Amino acid sequence: MISAQTEADVIDAVRDARAKSRTLEIMSRGTKRAYGRPMSCDDVLNVSALSGIVKYEPAELILTVLPGTPVAEITTLLDSKHQRLGFEPVDWGAMLGTATGKSTIGGVLSADVNGAAAIRYGRARDSLLGIRAVNGLAESYKAGGKVVKNVTGFDLPKLMCGAMGTLGVLTEVTLRVYPKPPQSVSLIVRDVSVEDGFALLRRVWQSPLEATALAYIPASVPITQLGYVGEGAALIRLEGAHEPLKEKIAALLAIARSAQPIEAANVFDSISRGTIFAGRNCDLWRVSVPSSEAAGIVRQMGSSVFAADWAGGSLWIGLDAGGNGAELRAHCERADGQATLVKADEETRQRVAPFPPEPAARRALTRSVKAAFDPQNVFNPGRMWKAV
Amino acid sequence: MADTAGLAAFDGDALTAYRQKALACVLPKTKEQVSAVLKFAGEEGIAIVPRGAGTSLSGGALPLADAILMGMGRMNRILEIDYENRCVVTEPGVTNLSITRAVEVRGFYYAPDPSSQIACTVGGNVAENSGGIHCLKYGLTTHNLLGVEMVLPGGDRVRLGGKAGDGGLDLLGIAAGSEGLLGIVVEATLRILPKPPVTRTLMAAFRSVPDAGQCVADIIGAGVIPAAMEFMDKNCIGAVEDYCSPGYPRDAEGILIIEVDGVAAEAAHAAERVTEIAKAAGASAVTEAFDENERIRLWAGRKAAFPAMGRLAPDMLCMDGTIPRHALPRVLIRMAEMSKKYGLGFCNVFHAGDGNLHPLIIFDVMKEGELARAEAFGAAILQLCVEVGGVLTGEHGVGVEKRDLMPVMFTDADLAQQQRLKCAFDSAGLFNPGKVFPTLSACVELGHMHVKGGRVPFPNLPRF
Ligand SMILES: Cc1cc2nc3c(=O)[nH]c(=O)nc-3n(C[C@H](O)[C@H](O)[C@H](O)COP(=O)(O)OP(=O)(O)OC[C@H]3O[C@@H](n4cnc5c(N)ncnc54)[C@H](O)[C@@H]3O)c2cc1C
């Protein structure tokens, strides 16, 4: 394992790997190592020591950090100024069977894992304003900027989000932050079917209440804290200052008469972290579909292990371990969406493409883009698809 | 279209200092036609310049003498309105405002609202990643864009993103703001938002610019994100008052127009906070529009900044840098000094919430040397923006206008990486050549692998 302390170390490591035609697994704290296709790289480049706050300017809504900075540290810092990250970064450590509470901002961005509030504030890619990175030619470069509004040059920061470290090594990231509303209320609507529950969540989403979480949990995935849920429960989070929040709750009751406040703030977190499925012996798939198609997918798959975020737009579905997901993917395709295999054993992730297979023209483009950043395939080869 | 009169109709965009007729102009109606033209152009090695409505302020749609201009105005149908999933699927030639018009009956709107919204097209918005006065709260085009279908150089069609994303590399994020360098957008899926039930508009007048700057920082620092927060300086106030008398205080050094929205209590809460903070920051007066007419009048002044300044001189250059907001007072002082140095008048309108400056420089092309001085003044302003930690363009794009300034912000390595990405889409360099990048490197020089037959693209490309 090579441990980089600085950007210069990263450059050296990449130059060396390039010269010797060796491949590098880019790793920070390694909490998501079991996500994506298994790789066998010649070396591990550990970048977790590239950690620390570079600059935090609350009044500019800007935070610049080194990518190895733990999310927990960032959350604490932002909290001290009543701010937060809009996409609500998620820790998949526990679900994937590694450590919890260790995930770093670079890892979260690279894997594009977003929490409940992303339905209101956008995903990680929408908050990443600027980067420094090292490409596969061992050159460092910057892209984007350190201001909230910028269109100078291609928006490479977005491309780095969700690229799983296949395009380069991040060495600095600049994020937009948001004020944290003073109060937050979670509400539950009990005993609703999947169809009715998702439709209800959509009505809230179509209203101006700016809900920051719209989730659904079926009875088959019990959460003690919620008490009796009947067929299933729709969960809504509203935020704001005292008076506005009162008005929003009243407006919500006009949409969903039986909605009740509940102490369940951490339920949203446990859904996005996938920890509600702990102990189940199945593979976990993450499905993205237009919300109106989500109930159909759930019915078609007939699995009792599922939960929804983003009014159904983001679904977890548990399927028999070792399956190839072909049926799920076919349904998703018809519904204008796709499915990603998040949790499965190594053999399955080797055999079944974890990331959605691409149509031919798109695949060719993806490969060209990879080559534009990493022509020699130094970084995380095969992590997303065989060739990328 | 290849006749002189026809081509003359498409000889430039809203960066009016530059004019050039295209080799030919095509106006496709279908995706298939776009594909066919790009296949032909690819085989023949002919360059393509995409064009929407031609309102680009950076010369992005400026034709080239040896290139086909592809006007997208005839692909102007909205294909689907999907309220359930809060999105609209549209052809690229539809105007920005038409999207809102199509969905407002059901209480929705499309958030990015460039001032040119009655004319500019969705395709142009995607290519420029356009903003508007509401982007601090609601984002630029890229934050409201779910997917595109793009025809690549050579004619292949790809979908990037979609109603529920695509689960692959975020190439959609690259397409937004790509300034017509990567392909032709033939379809876009846009997010629509529920209209906030209440909108309130306030005006705060300041005796000093630093006070106004402090007020902006304090509002954001207090956790209020206004829907819009616009600054106008004294020059601008005077010009606008002469033009349409919106009722701005002529004696103020600067004013802020601040709009807050949300459910009633939310707008009320924000309006109250904004008023308190503005007074504490030294505002000499804070007034609120008491009805819709008054609200429209307050905004009319801001929206008339362009034509109002236009009356003071025949020509105008609109700059577009972004700065960290705390640098505002410093930047305004330096700009006033530059105005003296270059001997040209200017005024400042500023999307204060997100730090996006729009200095308007006035000049007269007919006067010897004024265009060159105006451009030098503009360039100096943008260099200053970068110097204080900002960027060259916040929403108008690089185009030809700021192309040669790119090295002020980016190193050779930064630009080489950008160009390598360009090569991944367009290995022959056929798309909108001469825009964005200060030097044209052949993809082969950049070590790119997809160069066909070693053809060097455009050795004779005209440079401006
Ligand atoms: C009075 C005025 C006010 C303005 N106000 C604002 C403002 O508030 N905010 C703001 O952001 N901008 C503003 N602009 C700038 C301009 O309107 C925007 O950049 C707009 O998005 C351009 O759209 P268009 O359809 O006119 O595109 P064009 O000017 O025709 O083209 C712009 C760029 O997009 C490319 N392009 C166009 N269509 C396509 C397509 N289908 N596929 C691929 N590439 C394509 C072109 O090659 C070119 O590079 C203003 C301009 C004017 C004249």
Side-chain angles (χ1 to χ4, degrees):
Chain A
M1 172 137 63
I2 312 164
S3 287
Q5 309 293 319
T6 62
E7 184 182 272
D9 292 349
V10 175
I11 294 173
D12 285 345
V14 177
R15 187 180 299 123
D16 196 47
R18 208 171 121 77
K20 297 180 184 145
S21 294
R22 290 167 72 81
T23 57
L24 294 175
E25 175 182 351
I26 313 304
M27 188 183 89
S28 189
R29 300 268 180 126
T31 62
K32 286 178 279 291
R33 267 185 121 179
Y35 176 42
R37 291 182 75 248
M39 305 180 286
S40 48
C41 295
D42 299 322
D43 250 321
V44 173
L45 175 61
N46 187 321
V47 290
S48 61
L50 286 166
S51 169
I53 310 292
V54 178
K55 197 169 188 189
Y56 175 33
E57 297 172 282
E60 304 283 342
L61 303 173
I62 295 282
L63 171 70
T64 300
V65 298
L66 301 184
T69 311
V71 173
E73 188 180 329
I74 292 175
T75 310
T76 310
L77 174 71
L78 294 180
D79 212 42
S80 72
K81 297 287 178 196
H82 311 290
Q83 293 187 332
R84 64 177 175 190
L85 291 171
F87 61 95
E88 224 181 341
V90 175
D91 185 344
W92 277 356
M95 181 212 3
L96 293 173
T98 49
T100 207
K102 276 176 53 181
S103 67
T104 64
I105 192 69
V108 162
L109 293 168
S110 299
D112 190 28
V113 281
N114 302 282
I119 188 149
R120 159 77 178 81
Y121 295 103
R123 299 189 349 241
R125 51 97 82 179
D126 295 301
S127 286
L128 184 60
L129 301 170
I131 55 164
R132 286 190 63 81
V134 175
N135 62 21
L137 303 169
E139 290 169 354
S140 71
Y141 65 91
K142 67 170 180 307
K146 294 183 177 180
V147 288
V148 291
K149 193 172 177 190
N150 172 29
V151 298
T152 323
F154 295 128
D155 197 347
L156 305 186
K158 287 208 170 50
L159 190 54
M160 295 300 140
C161 281
M164 299 295 296
T166 57
L167 301 182
V169 185
L170 294 170
T171 55
E172 185 185 277
V173 296
T174 296
L175 292 151
R176 179 198 169 142
V177 301
Y178 289 84
K180 186 173 176 179
Q183 291 180 29
S184 163
V185 169
S186 307
L187 298 110
I188 187 167
V189 178
R190 296 190 160 92
D191 198 17
V192 275
S193 65
V194 181
E195 286 80 7
D196 294 349
F198 289 6
L200 167 75
L201 294 171
R202 266 201 306 284
R203 278 203 298 286
V204 179
W205 181 53
Q206 289 153 6
S207 80
L209 297 183
E210 301 189 325
T212 57
L214 295 164
Y216 180 90
I217 298 267
S220 46
V221 181
I223 298 182
T224 334
Q225 208 182 348
L226 300 182
Y228 165 80
V229 296
E231 211 174 319
L235 293 155
I236 298 145
R237 182 171 63 197
L238 298 176
E239 295 180 311
H242 186 70
E243 288 300 317
L245 191 54
K246 259 171 53 187
E247 184 180 343
K248 286 183 183 179
I249 293 171
L252 176 68
L253 288 172
I255 299 172
R257 229 172 316 135
S258 62
Q260 283 174 340
I262 183 172
E263 287 299 325
N266 56 352
V267 170
F268 299 110
D269 198 39
S270 52
I271 294 173
S272 31
R273 292 171 60 195
T275 47
I276 47 170
F277 305 116
R280 290 184 193 255
N281 180 28
C282 57
D283 291 346
L284 281 179
W285 291 76
R286 185 96 165 160
V287 172
S288 295
V289 281
S291 167
S292 63
E293 304 290 334
I297 300 275
V298 169
R299 290 290 180 212
Q300 281 157 339
M301 295 313 296
S303 167
S304 62
V305 182
F306 75 96
D309 218 342
W310 306 355
S314 176
L315 288 172
W316 285 116
I317 296 190
L319 298 179
D320 290 344
N324 64 10
E327 190 192 343
L328 175 63
R329 283 195 157 138
H331 289 313
C332 287
E333 200 167 317
R334 276 194 293 277
D336 218 351
Q338 17 66 39
T340 301
L341 175 58
V342 175
K343 184 185 167 244
D345 64 18
E346 216 174 291
E347 186 277 321
T348 308
R349 284 179 289 117
Q350 190 77 57
R351 181 166 41 82
V352 180
F355 289 90
E358 301 181 294
R362 171 68 197 255
R363 184 162 59 235
L365 184 58
T366 297
R367 288 181 186 181
S368 291
V369 169
K370 162 79 173 172
F373 286 84
D374 180 19
Q376 261 183 253
N377 252 323
V378 177
F379 303 127
N380 287 359
R383 180 98 191 239
M384 294 191 77
W385 300 277
K386 268 199 188 105
V388 179
Chain B
M1 188 189 299
D3 59 300
T4 316
L7 291 176
F10 295 97
D11 72 349
D13 57 25
L15 183 69
T16 49
Y18 297 93
R19 292 287 147 202
Q20 171 67 54
K21 287 195 188 65
L23 177 65
C25 176
V26 295
L27 303 170
K29 273 193 108 151
T30 65
K31 296 172 184 176
E32 291 73 22
Q33 288 174 350
V34 174
S35 271
V37 173
L38 295 196
K39 184 161 183 289
F40 167 79
E43 284 161 4
E44 298 296 319
I46 303 172
I48 298 282
V49 176
R51 177 188 162 103
T55 67
S56 167
L57 290 169
S58 53
L62 183 69
L64 299 170
D66 56 359
I68 297 172
L69 185 73
M70 184 174 274
M72 302 307 291
R74 295 213 297 180
M75 290 184 69
N76 58 2
R77 290 170 313 151
I78 291 180
L79 302 173
E80 185 194 352
I81 299 179
D82 179 356
Y83 291 111
E84 271 305 295
N85 297 301
R86 272 182 40 190
C87 59
V88 168
V89 183
T90 180
E91 289 185 335
V94 170
T95 62
N96 172 294
L97 190 61
S98 310
I99 305 297
T100 291
R101 289 284 176 263
V103 299
E104 63 192 355
V105 285
R106 293 271 298 267
F108 289 89
Y109 74 112
Y110 176 58
D113 56 348
S115 312
S116 51
Q117 67 182 159
I118 47 169
C120 65
T121 66
V122 168
N125 292 172
V126 170
E128 299 286 13
N129 189 10
S130 298
I133 52 176
H134 291 105
C135 32
L136 177 66
K137 183 162 178 191
Y138 296 107
L140 293 158
T141 299
T142 188
H143 305 110
N144 293 276
L145 179 70
L146 298 175
V148 295
E149 184 172 357
M150 213 169 182
V151 184
L152 300 176
D156 281 345
R157 275 156 52 183
V158 289
R159 290 192 162 274
L160 311 177
K163 283 184 185 176
D166 60 33
L169 292 180
D170 191 356
L171 301 182
L172 176 67
I174 293 299
S178 58
E179 302 203 23
L181 264 65
L182 303 182
I184 298 273
V185 173
V186 290
E187 187 186 295
T189 305
L190 309 172
R191 172 68 80 217
I192 52 173
L193 269 62
K195 207 164 172 287
V198 175
T199 300
R200 294 172 64 166
T201 307
L202 298 94
M203 178 173 69
F206 293 88
R207 287 185 213 92
S208 95
V209 171
D211 286 354
Q214 191 57 46
C215 176
V216 172
D218 291 347
I219 289 172
I220 306 270
V224 179
I225 302 286
M229 182 146 56
E230 295 286 306
F231 171 84
M232 278 180 270
D233 71 1
K234 194 174 180 116
N235 288 350
C236 188
I237 296 170
V240 167
E241 273 297 312
D242 290 343
Y243 181 73
C244 65
S245 338
Y248 298 160
R250 279 181 191 270
D251 55 345
E253 283 300 314
I255 58 168
L256 286 172
I257 298 181
I258 304 167
E259 191 156 280
V260 294
D261 64 9
V263 297
E266 200 167 29
H269 177 78
E272 218 171 275
R273 295 288 287 132
V274 162
T275 308
E276 275 166 30
I277 293 167
K279 286 191 174 146
S284 51
V286 184
T287 51
E288 184 179 344
F290 48 83
D291 64 11
E292 188 60 17
N293 282 337
E294 171 87 1
R295 208 176 79 75
I296 289 169
R297 201 163 61 90
L298 273 185
W299 276 119
R302 164 62 183 86
K303 290 186 177 156
F306 245 100
M309 287 301 285
R311 289 210 315 181
L312 304 181
D315 298 288
M316 195 161 48
L317 205 54
C318 174
M319 307 311 292
D320 168 50
T322 304
I323 55 170
R325 282 174 303 251
H326 63 74
L328 179 64
R330 199 166 23 130
V331 167
L332 291 188
I333 291 167
R334 289 273 300 278
M335 277 166 49
E337 290 164 9
M338 289 177 191
S339 162
K340 286 207 192 88
K341 176 176 162 199
Y342 292 99
L344 293 173
F346 83 110
C347 81
N348 245 312
V349 294
F350 180 54
H351 300 306
D354 41 31
N356 186 199
L357 283 171
H358 286 321
L360 300 172
I361 300 171
I362 51 176
F363 64 101
D364 182 351
V365 170
M366 303 310 280
K367 287 197 188 139
E368 179 75 29
E370 282 213 350
L371 171 60
R373 283 218 306 283
E375 289 187 329
F377 184 9
I381 291 174
L382 296 182
Q383 284 177 2
L384 175 62
C385 290
V386 174
E387 189 187 309
V388 300
V391 299
L392 293 173
T393 169
E395 57 178 14
H396 294 168
V398 176
V400 282
E401 184 206 25
K402 288 167 284 249
R403 180 190 69 188
D404 294 331
L405 291 172
M406 288 291 269
V408 174
M409 184 166 154
F410 293 116
T411 64
D412 288 349
D414 301 343
L415 290 171
Q417 185 53 64
Q418 302 249 348
Q419 280 179 287
R420 264 183 233 112
L421 176 64
K422 153 82 170 165
C423 293
F425 281 76
D426 179 22
S427 57
L430 292 180
F431 261 67
N432 224 357
K435 315 287 169 71
V436 181
F437 295 114
T439 49
L440 267 184
S441 312
C443 292
V444 67
E445 284 169 39
L446 294 158
H448 194 78
M449 317 205 301
H450 289 242
V451 176
K452 293 169 191 150
R455 205 189 310 128
V456 181
F458 299 96
N460 307 321
L461 194 81
R463 311 300 299 248
F464 312 100

